[in-house]
Amino acid sequence: MSNEDNLSPHAQLSSHFFGDLLDSIIVDVASECHRIARLGLDRNLEEEEEEMRLSAQARLRVADPSNSSEANGKYIVDIFGQSHPSVASEIFECMNCSRSVMAGKFAPHLEKCMGKGRKARLKVTRSSTAAQNRNSRGSPASAYPPYSNSTSTSRLSNGSSSVAGEEYSNGVFEDP
Amino acid sequence: MSSAAKIGHHRINGQILPQPCPHLAEFRSRNGSKPFRALQECLRVKPPGGRAAIRRDPDEVPRCASCGDAARPRLYACVACAAVSCHTPPGPSHAAAHAALMPPGHEIAVDVDRAELFCCACRDQVYDRDFDAAVVLAQTSASKLGSNSSSSSPSSPSVIRFQHPENLRKRRRVDYRPWAPDLKERTLVVNGSVPLESSELSSDLPRGLRGLNNLGNTCFMNSVLQALLHTPPLRNYFLSDRHNRYFCQERNGVSNTNRRNGANSDANGKIRNCLACDMDDIYSAVFSGERTPYSPAKFLFSWWQHAANLASYEQQDAHEFFISMLDGIHEKVDKDRRKPQNPGNGDCCIAHRVFSGILRSDVMCMACGFTSTTYDPCIDISLDLEPNQGGYAKMASTKSGHPCNGEADCLSSRQNCGTSTLTGCLDRFTRPERLGSDQKFFCQQCQVRQESLKQMSIRKLPLVSCFHIKRFEHSSVRKMSRKVDRYLQFPISLDMAPYLSSSILRSRFGNRIFPFDGVEPDASNDLSSEFELFAVVTHTGKLDAGHYVTYLRLCNQWYKCDDAWITQVNENIVRAAQGYMMFYVQKMLYYKASEKQVAG
C-alpha cells in the first residue's frame, strides 16, 4: 500500500473503504472455510491431487520417445498370440439375404442389402430435415443444451433416436 | 488438519457434528435452544438465496458498544444481552472483554453479518444444530410459495420439503454377502450344463476378453460393446441368464415351429427383433473361452433395424450409438411386460437399472428467491470441455499429447494449471449458472418473467456412471464441425459426493448443519458415492476419419481393445489417453470384480 500521507483526502478515503471491504471479504472466506473444515465437508484434495500427479507423470512417460510406445497398427500379435489381417476375413452368411460375406465388408454389403445408406436413400423422397441430418458425417454430438441432459431422456421416451438438440423437454422453459 | 479432526467424530449426511466448546455446552444446558430460535426474528435474508444477517430492525446499523465503530469486519452481538462488540485481532477484542466483564453466560455471540456463532472466551467460531436450522428456515422460506422472506413466523425446524421425485423408493441397503451354490444347486448346474473348454494359453487371462471384428467402419460399435460387455451389473445380468431368448421369443410371438427351427420370425414370417437377445448372444460368445475375434454381425443388423436413421456404412458417433442401443434394449423389454414406464427408478429394464440416474434442476428467481425444482432421469452425463484458459492452456498442450515441463510444476495450484479435468467439468456442470435475459423464467411468486439462476445436481447416482465428453463441436452458423483434441485428466477413483443434490443444496445455504433434500442419516451414503473407472472409450484422428479404441480394466490390469486386437497396456497409457466416454462403476460393486477369477 502506498504511503497514505501522499494521497489526497479523497484517495485516502477510497483506500480506507477498499481496505474495509477487503477485510470483510477475507473474513467471509475464513469463516466459510472454518465451517467447511470443522464440519468435515472439505473435499479429499489429497486424493484428487494424487490422481492429477499420476496423470501428469503418465503423460510425460508416454510422450518420452525412449519408452516403448503402445503397440499400434495392425501388424502386431495380440495377447492370445494371434495376428489378424487388417480387413477381417471371417466368412459368414448374411442374415438378410443369405449370401456369403466377408466380415470386414459386411457393413457396406448390409447397407445395400437392406436398402439403407445414402445411395439407397437418395432414391427415396425424404423431408429436407432428414437430408440435412445425413450431411453431418460422424459429428452427431452436436447441439446438446449446455446444462440439461433431458435430450437423452426425451430420446428414450419417444423411442426414436432423433438427432440431439431437437427436443428439450425440461418443462420449465419455452424453447430458446 | 482434516484427518485429525475427523477421528472419533460421528458423521451424519457426510458431515461431522462438532463437539461444542465448554461455554457453548454450558449455555445450551442452561438455556436450551430457545435463544437461538428467538434469533429467527432478527434473521434478514437478502434474496435471491442470499446470506443471512442479524438485525434487530431492518435499518439497524450495528456498532461496537465499546468503540462505536460500525465498519469493523467482525461485529458480534451477545446472544444473552444483545450487546454488540467488535473483534479485531491482533487489536483489542471488545467482544472478549464483554464476555469477561459480564457475569457468566455472555460468552456466546453471533456474527451480525454472517449469522455465525462465536465463543468470545475461546475466540473461535462455534456451531450449533438448532441455530443452523433456524438460519436455513429463514433462507429457504423465500424459496417457497406464499411466504414473504422477512416476516414469516417459523415453526419448529422441520425438513424442507421439496417436490420429490415420484417412485423414488428408498432401497434398504443390504451388505454384500458372498454366495456359493449349495449341493442341490450344484447338481442342477452340473446336470444342465457342459464345462467350457479353456486352453492352457489363455487360462491366465480374464474370461470375456475377446476381440471384435470391424465389419466396415464399425469401430464406434465395437468400442461401446467392449465397455458394455464388461460393465459389471450388465455382464452379471446377461451371464445369469436373466434375459432368456426362449422366453423372450415366446413373448414376442415367435411361432413354435420357428423357435424349434432356431429362426427368429413370428407366425407371419416377420423377423422379430430383440437387441437384448442379440446382446445375450454376444455375451455368450465373448465369455465362451473362444479367443478368436467375434463378428457382431447379427447385432449390427438388429441395431440398424432399430435405429433406421443411423443405419449406414459411415462412421458413426460412439456416444450416439450407446444411447441408441440402450434405447433399443429399453423399448424391446418394455413392450413385453406391463412394467412402469418410468426410467427414473430403473425398474423398466436392465439398461436403466444399470445406467439411469436422476438429475435435479433448480431454477431460482433472482428477484425474490423462489426456486422451482424438477427431476429428470438421465442415462449418462454429457460434459463440455472447459473453454480455453488463455495462455496456460496453450502452454500445457504445445504439441498434440506432449505436455510441457511447466505442467508438472503447476500441480500445486490446481486452478492455474490449465489442464482440463473431469472433476473440473463436473464442477462446471453443477455450478450456478446465470440464465441470459433471453431465457427469463416465469416466477410463480413474482408472476412475471425474471432473470434466474439455474443449478444442476445429481439426486440419485446410477450404478454405472457414463461420462461423455463433448469433443465434437458442430457450428450451424459457420457450417462446420470440428473435434476438440484437448487432453482431459480423469481419475481412476472418483468420489461423486460433491455433485450430489444434498451437497449442492447444503453449500447453497452456507453449509449449515441440516438434513437437506430429505436424505436419511445413513453412514453408507459415503460409500455409495465412490466410483471406480473400468472402461475408457477413446477417439483418435479427425472428426470424420478417426478411430475408436476401448481400454478395459480387468483384475486390476488394463487391456486395449482395438477391434480384433487385444493387447495389455500400462496404466500410464490409459491415463494419458484422450478420453471420450468414461465408465465408472460404484466401488461397492467393483471390488469383487477386481479379484482374480478362480478357475473351476
Side-chain angles (χ1 to χ4, degrees):
Chain A
M1 277 295 172
S2 54
N3 193 341
E4 293 218 341
D5 293 337
N6 292 339
L7 298 171
S8 70
H10 187 94
Q12 279 184 32
L13 207 54
S14 305
S15 180
H16 180 72
F17 286 140
F18 177 78
D20 278 351
L21 285 171
L22 192 58
D23 285 341
S24 188
I25 290 170
I26 291 172
V27 175
D28 285 347
V29 175
S31 169
E32 287 166 18
C33 291
H34 188 281
R35 175 177 272 274
I36 287 172
R38 209 37 90 80
L39 298 186
L41 299 175
D42 35 1
R43 271 160 72 157
N44 208 335
L45 285 176
E46 289 113 11
E47 277 175 16
E48 287 184 24
E49 275 167 16
E50 176 66 9
E51 288 276 1
M52 287 286 296
R53 191 187 64 79
L54 287 171
S55 289
Q57 206 172 67
R59 293 183 76 199
L60 288 171
R61 292 206 176 129
V62 167
D64 185 353
S66 67
N67 283 342
S68 57
S69 58
E70 61 181 311
N72 262 324
K74 314 295 187 189
Y75 304 104
I76 49 149
V77 170
D78 65 22
I79 44 168
F80 311 116
Q82 305 164 135
S83 58
H84 315 286
S86 52
V87 178
S89 56
E90 184 191 352
I91 310 274
F92 50 78
E93 198 179 278
C94 171
M95 58 285 308
N96 199 38
C97 66
S98 305
R99 279 157 65 181
S100 282
V101 195
M102 193 165 89
K105 308 240 161 90
F106 178 66
H109 160 84
L110 193 64
E111 190 188 35
K112 296 193 207 83
C113 176
M114 280 172 80
K116 306 266 183 197
R118 278 214 313 250
K119 293 189 184 120
R121 274 199 300 268
L122 281 171
K123 297 176 191 164
V124 183
T125 322
R126 292 272 170 163
S127 71
S128 57
T129 348
Q132 264 173 36
N133 290 343
R134 291 284 58 75
N135 284 333
S136 59
R137 277 183 75 94
S139 69
S142 45
Y144 278 148
Y147 345 91
S148 167
N149 281 284
S150 48
T151 42
S152 315
T153 59
S154 64
R155 273 188 177 137
L156 289 165
S157 55
N158 68 18
S160 64
S161 337
S162 53
V163 176
E166 284 176 354
E167 283 163 41
Y168 191 98
S169 59
N170 200 323
V172 176
F173 310 104
E174 58 185 4
D175 290 327
Chain B
M1 161 182 70
S2 45
S3 42
K6 280 170 191 166
I7 292 172
H9 279 119
H10 178 57
R11 280 183 178 267
I12 287 186
N13 298 336
Q15 66 188 27
I16 298 170
L17 269 180
Q19 295 282 60
C21 74
H23 310 99
L24 180 62
E26 176 68 26
F27 185 87
R28 289 272 338 207
S29 69
R30 220 182 304 128
N31 304 310
S33 61
K34 202 159 149 252
F36 297 146
R37 308 242 215 102
L39 275 173
Q40 276 174 330
E41 280 143 49
C42 304
L43 282 167
R44 316 281 170 193
V45 180
K46 247 193 283 202
R51 210 162 59 171
I54 304 275
R55 296 288 186 273
R56 271 167 294 196
D57 64 80
D59 298 324
E60 179 194 7
V61 176
R63 276 174 199 287
C64 175
S66 308
C67 62
D69 200 332
R72 301 275 100 199
R74 295 163 74 178
L75 286 169
Y76 293 103
C78 176
V79 182
C81 69
V84 178
S85 316
C86 68
H87 176 79
T88 321
S93 168
H94 295 142
H98 173 83
L101 290 171
M102 298 294 282
H106 290 249
E107 296 88 4
I108 306 299
V110 60
D111 185 325
V112 298
D113 289 318
R114 298 171 189 90
E116 291 281 13
L117 290 177
F118 188 76
C119 174
C120 302
C122 299
R123 301 192 185 212
D124 199 10
Q125 195 161 285
V126 290
Y127 304 94
D128 182 87
R129 203 211 302 236
D130 291 312
F131 177 72
D132 275 357
V135 175
V136 171
L137 270 176
Q139 284 174 315
T140 55
S141 64
S143 68
K144 295 189 288 186
L145 262 183
S147 54
N148 278 319
S149 41
S150 50
S151 58
S152 56
S153 50
S155 50
S156 60
S158 55
V159 177
I160 299 293
R161 243 174 249 110
F162 291 105
Q163 178 191 338
H164 263 283
E166 291 159 14
N167 299 331
L168 186 66
R169 289 183 284 112
K170 289 203 164 48
R171 289 192 182 83
R172 199 174 66 85
R173 200 164 295 283
V174 177
D175 285 333
Y176 174 83
R177 276 189 311 270
W179 170 88
D182 62 26
L183 209 56
K184 187 174 158 200
E185 286 160 338
R186 221 190 293 264
T187 320
L188 240 148
V189 169
V190 165
N191 290 342
S193 62
V194 176
L196 290 171
E197 291 180 23
S198 57
S199 71
E200 283 300 315
L201 273 163
S202 49
S203 56
D204 279 342
L205 294 165
R207 274 210 186 281
L209 206 52
R210 191 173 174 189
L212 298 173
N213 280 326
N214 188 315
L215 308 174
N217 279 342
T218 60
C219 60
F220 69 91
M221 178 177 80
N222 287 347
S223 56
V224 171
L225 282 178
Q226 287 287 13
L228 295 179
L229 284 166
H230 295 95
T231 297
L234 201 62
R235 175 204 63 204
N236 295 347
Y237 178 85
F238 281 100
L239 290 181
S240 314
D241 200 32
R242 300 283 295 277
H243 186 91
N244 184 291
R245 86 168 14 254
Y246 297 105
F247 293 139
C248 179
Q249 287 176 340
E250 195 174 76
R251 269 192 307 273
N252 278 346
V254 176
S255 65
N256 277 326
T257 29
N258 281 331
R259 237 188 297 148
R260 266 186 256 120
N261 296 338
N264 206 19
S265 41
D266 63 11
N268 299 328
K270 188 165 171 228
I271 296 172
R272 301 298 302 187
N273 213 15
C274 176
L275 276 176
C277 281
D278 297 317
M279 197 65 199
D280 191 52
D281 284 343
I282 303 184
Y283 272 103
S284 298
V286 159
F287 281 86
S288 65
E290 177 62 51
R291 300 297 193 175
T292 59
Y294 175 75
S295 297
K298 174 64 168 59
F299 188 87
L300 181 70
F301 176 62
S302 297
W303 178 62
W304 275 5
Q305 289 180 306
H306 165 74
N309 63 326
L310 294 173
S312 68
Y313 169 53
E314 276 182 318
Q315 286 194 29
Q316 305 282 354
D317 175 57
H319 178 248
E320 200 169 26
F321 167 74
F322 172 67
I323 299 294
S324 167
M325 188 192 137
L326 293 186
D327 176 48
I329 293 180
H330 169 82
E331 209 180 67
K332 297 304 171 201
V333 174
D334 199 38
K335 271 187 193 146
D336 297 340
R337 304 150 216 229
R338 268 166 245 109
K339 281 213 160 188
Q341 291 265 343
N342 180 13
N345 56 3
D347 276 351
C348 49
C349 65
I350 185 60
H352 283 102
R353 176 81 186 88
V354 174
F355 289 102
S356 188
I358 298 180
L359 288 182
R360 173 182 167 135
S361 167
D362 292 314
V363 180
M364 176 161 62
C365 170
M366 298 204 58
C368 71
F370 172 74
T371 305
S372 160
T373 300
T374 49
Y375 295 96
D376 282 304
C378 69
I379 212 150
D380 67 353
I381 297 183
S382 284
L383 297 167
D384 284 298
L385 272 172
E386 293 154 16
N388 233 325
Q389 288 164 26
Y392 284 112
K394 284 215 174 90
M395 265 169 52
S397 52
T398 41
K399 300 161 199 159
S400 56
H402 288 251
C404 72
N405 288 331
E407 190 175 303
D409 301 333
C410 285
L411 280 173
S412 49
S413 54
R414 264 170 90 233
Q415 275 81 15
N416 293 332
C417 199
T419 308
S420 300
T421 63
L422 181 65
T423 49
C425 290
L426 286 169
D427 283 334
R428 283 174 70 244
F429 181 75
T430 53
R431 75 165 179 215
E433 197 95 27
R434 191 179 282 245
L435 298 175
S437 47
D438 55 333
Q439 282 177 301
K440 283 190 184 174
F441 162 64
F442 182 81
C443 172
Q444 284 181 33
Q445 186 146 269
C446 301
Q447 289 290 306
V448 285
R449 290 196 175 278
Q450 299 281 20
E451 292 207 355
S452 37
L453 213 61
K454 176 171 175 174
Q455 188 169 32
M456 305 291 300
S457 57
I458 301 175
R459 173 65 177 93
K460 176 172 162 277
L461 287 164
L463 288 179
V464 176
S465 287
C466 170
F467 298 110
H468 163 239
I469 309 302
K470 296 197 270 188
R471 290 188 175 279
F472 299 109
E473 281 179 10
H474 184 75
S475 164
S476 51
V477 171
R478 280 185 277 168
K479 294 233 186 301
M480 57 166 250
S481 310
R482 72 183 187 107
K483 185 194 168 199
V484 183
D485 274 310
R486 186 160 14 116
Y487 173 72
L488 179 85
Q489 185 272 344
F490 52 89
I492 306 273
S493 299
L494 175 67
D495 187 1
M496 291 294 289
Y499 315 108
L500 291 174
S501 297
S502 51
S503 305
I504 297 289
L505 274 183
R506 187 173 53 205
S507 82
R508 188 188 299 164
F509 293 111
N511 289 315
R512 301 280 169 176
I513 304 169
F514 195 80
F516 283 102
D517 205 15
V519 175
E520 292 170 357
D522 187 352
S524 57
N525 269 341
D526 289 337
L527 274 178
S528 65
S529 65
E530 289 181 20
F531 282 76
E532 285 290 313
L533 180 71
F534 68 92
V536 182
V537 172
T538 67
H539 183 273
T540 48
K542 297 203 286 276
L543 189 90
D544 52 357
H547 187 54
Y548 287 102
V549 158
T550 299
Y551 294 98
L552 290 178
R553 185 180 179 201
L554 300 169
C555 305
N556 238 354
Q557 182 63 249
W558 284 97
Y559 298 92
K560 177 184 180 187
C561 305
D562 181 352
D563 285 328
W565 291 264
I566 309 282
T567 50
Q568 202 175 69
V569 292
N570 187 285
E571 186 178 277
N572 287 335
I573 302 279
V574 183
R575 282 189 183 276
Q578 193 191 99
Y580 179 57
M581 293 169 72
M582 277 80 82
F583 291 82
Y584 289 84
V585 64
Q586 281 196 18
K587 193 168 177 178
M588 279 192 308
L589 299 175
Y590 172 78
Y591 77 87
K592 202 59 190 160
S594 69
E595 286 177 20
K596 185 127 173 89
Q597 304 293 326
V598 176

